[in-house]
Amino acid sequence: MDRLDNTIRPYAWGSTTAIPRLLGVEPTGEPQAEMWMGAHPGAPSRTPRGPLNEVIDKAPESELGQRTVARFGPRLPFLLKILAAGAPLSLQVHPDLEQAKEGYADEERRGIPVDAPHRNYKDANHKPELICALTEFDGLCGFRAPDAAADLLAGLDVDSLKPYVDVLHAHPEDAALREVLTAVLSADPEEMTHTVTEAAAACSRLGGAYAPYADIAHHYPGDPGVIAAMLLNHVRLQPGEALYLGADVPHAYLSGLGVEIMANSDNVLRCGLTPKHVDVPELLRIVRFEASDPGVLRPEASADGEEVYETPIDEFRLSRYVVSEGAAPRDLTRATPQILLCTAGSVRAGEQVLAPGESVFVPADDKAEVSGAGTVFRATVAA
């Protein structure tokens, strides 16, 4: 197995302290948003044998195993991250696999450069993802029931929001959510800025259930995404709890530290809370307009102590082990590639001793045992 040297991405929404605290180092004062572990060409992990993507390119079947290559091609099909949100991320949705293929092919035909700011589909893959909280973690996930969203907006007592309240009470669920989100994102910018400013002041005054939206408005003053966010479920994860985010479901991370795993894709359609491009027609085509429960996941323990976060896709499988000093080593050998990440204590993975935030890549079928006293997350392929 190879110890990984991983890149930390300094996105503006990142916490300045959470990742340094995990790693046991002094903060730099700059935001540290995500630490990437994997073979994504944008920031591949470095190994003693070279960048992980190049290591895999040289011998994909040896590194990934025949089964993984046959199913997903000669590339690591997942990306593992430590994510530290100090401010809300953009409100967004991801396409399903068919939508991604069609969207990518269409933009290729139209000759839109892949790095163009208005490009929606950077690749032809979907981007399901799972976030597991290491600290208390706040997010938005899926639409509220229209009546509940109407009550939340009505409680602000803002005149310009009252037509949205009436629509949410009067229409069938999907039509109501579609009509209101369309209206919010298509409104006159000056009028919407005024509405958001009034709504933000009311959220600050009321507190309680409105507090998350006051914080969002603080970071994104005047952004229509503040009103769009109020159509969504607010969820607070406790450490060890997780959210699975499938296709077409609007969501945003607000604050906290977590382990995130996703399929290798950069396809994002934004709804707001961002200075980046928002393609309203394409977004409305992709979003699934139905109320849903956020579906907080808790790990399911197996006989060997593995705690698995069950998801309905094959590109990744995330689990964790809590190991105790003096206990027999746990055999994690598997016919698929793995990344092992320590998040607490001190864990021995093979000959490597891992402190919090440290990780290793384990090629398919390589012997992998863990022991020590701490917590280790295991990222691999479900198929």
Side-chain angles (χ1 to χ4, degrees):
M1 62 180 67
D2 296 303
R3 181 179 287 270
L4 299 180
D5 179 15
N6 303 304
T7 297
I8 296 177
R9 309 304 291 258
Y11 305 136
W13 50 262
S15 167
T16 59
T17 58
I19 289 179
R21 187 181 302 119
L22 179 71
L23 299 176
V25 300
E26 286 297 316
T28 64
E30 298 299 317
Q32 298 187 18
E34 296 179 347
M35 185 168 75
W36 288 22
M37 291 157 281
H40 192 288
S45 297
R46 297 168 293 278
T47 80
R49 297 185 286 156
L52 186 56
N53 58 333
E54 295 180 11
V55 170
I56 291 171
D57 286 345
K58 290 174 183 175
E61 288 200 355
S62 175
E63 301 296 332
L64 304 178
Q66 292 182 348
R67 182 168 52 179
T68 299
V69 173
R71 175 69 178 84
F72 301 108
R75 62 186 183 91
L76 190 68
F78 63 83
L79 176 63
L80 183 67
K81 300 179 180 180
I82 292 174
L83 182 145
L89 281 67
S90 62
L91 192 60
Q92 60 189 255
V93 297
H94 305 305
D96 64 26
L97 187 56
E98 192 60 34
Q99 290 164 341
K101 289 178 178 177
E102 291 175 355
Y104 180 77
D106 175 63
E107 290 185 329
E108 287 288 283
R109 279 194 301 270
R110 290 191 282 144
I112 300 175
V114 74
D115 58 351
H118 63 290
R119 174 109 184 199
N120 293 314
Y121 299 94
K122 310 293 187 183
D123 52 68
N125 199 16
H126 62 164
K127 192 187 179 186
E129 57 192 42
L130 176 77
I131 184 79
C132 177
L134 294 178
T135 65
E136 198 170 74
F137 194 98
D138 277 26
L140 305 171
C141 182
F143 285 109
R144 296 175 184 268
D147 283 344
D151 290 344
L152 193 70
L153 292 176
L156 296 174
D157 195 26
V158 173
D159 286 343
S160 53
L161 291 177
K162 291 178 180 177
Y164 302 156
V165 173
D166 293 340
V167 169
L168 290 167
H169 278 312
H171 286 260
E173 176 179 292
D174 58 343
L177 294 170
R178 178 182 289 275
E179 184 172 338
V180 172
L181 184 62
T182 302
V184 168
L185 297 181
S186 305
D188 176 81
E190 187 173 335
E191 292 178 4
M192 181 51 65
T193 296
H194 180 71
T195 295
V196 172
T197 301
E198 279 194 76
C203 286
S204 296
R205 183 178 68 254
L206 293 167
Y210 293 95
Y213 307 100
D215 185 62
I216 292 170
H218 169 74
H219 289 285
Y220 297 98
D223 192 303
V226 175
I227 306 302
M230 298 186 74
L231 302 176
L232 307 186
N233 298 299
H234 173 250
V235 59
R236 176 164 292 166
L237 300 178
Q238 297 304 312
E241 295 181 334
L243 281 177
Y244 171 71
L245 301 160
D248 312 333
V249 176
H251 62 275
Y253 301 147
L254 303 181
S255 65
L257 181 72
V259 174
E260 184 183 37
I261 189 168
M262 62 184 62
N264 256 332
S265 173
D266 290 326
N267 287 327
V268 174
L269 290 154
R270 295 176 178 85
C271 315
L273 311 183
T274 178
K276 295 182 179 179
H277 177 61
V278 177
D279 185 336
V280 174
E282 184 66 6
L283 170 73
L284 296 174
R285 189 180 76 85
I286 294 298
V287 171
R288 184 165 67 248
F289 289 96
E290 61 181 43
S292 62
D293 185 276
V296 174
L297 295 176
R298 296 171 182 84
E300 298 183 14
S302 61
D304 69 349
E306 184 180 28
E307 299 176 332
V308 181
Y309 294 91
E310 297 289 352
T311 61
I313 53 92
D314 294 335
E315 282 90 341
F316 60 75
R317 177 183 185 272
L318 186 71
S319 62
R320 69 177 183 179
Y321 288 84
V322 179
V323 295
S324 302
E325 194 68 57
R330 305 282 178 83
D331 185 0
L332 275 58
T333 306
R334 190 175 168 90
T336 54
Q338 305 180 70
I339 293 176
L340 305 180
L341 164 68
C342 176
T343 58
S346 177
V347 175
R348 180 177 290 276
E351 299 301 315
Q352 309 276 355
V353 177
L354 304 180
E358 296 181 337
S359 56
V360 293
F361 173 73
V362 185
D365 295 313
D366 269 23
K367 183 71 172 176
E369 287 186 341
V370 296
S371 59
T375 302
V376 61
F377 279 81
R378 177 200 221 184
T380 186
V381 178

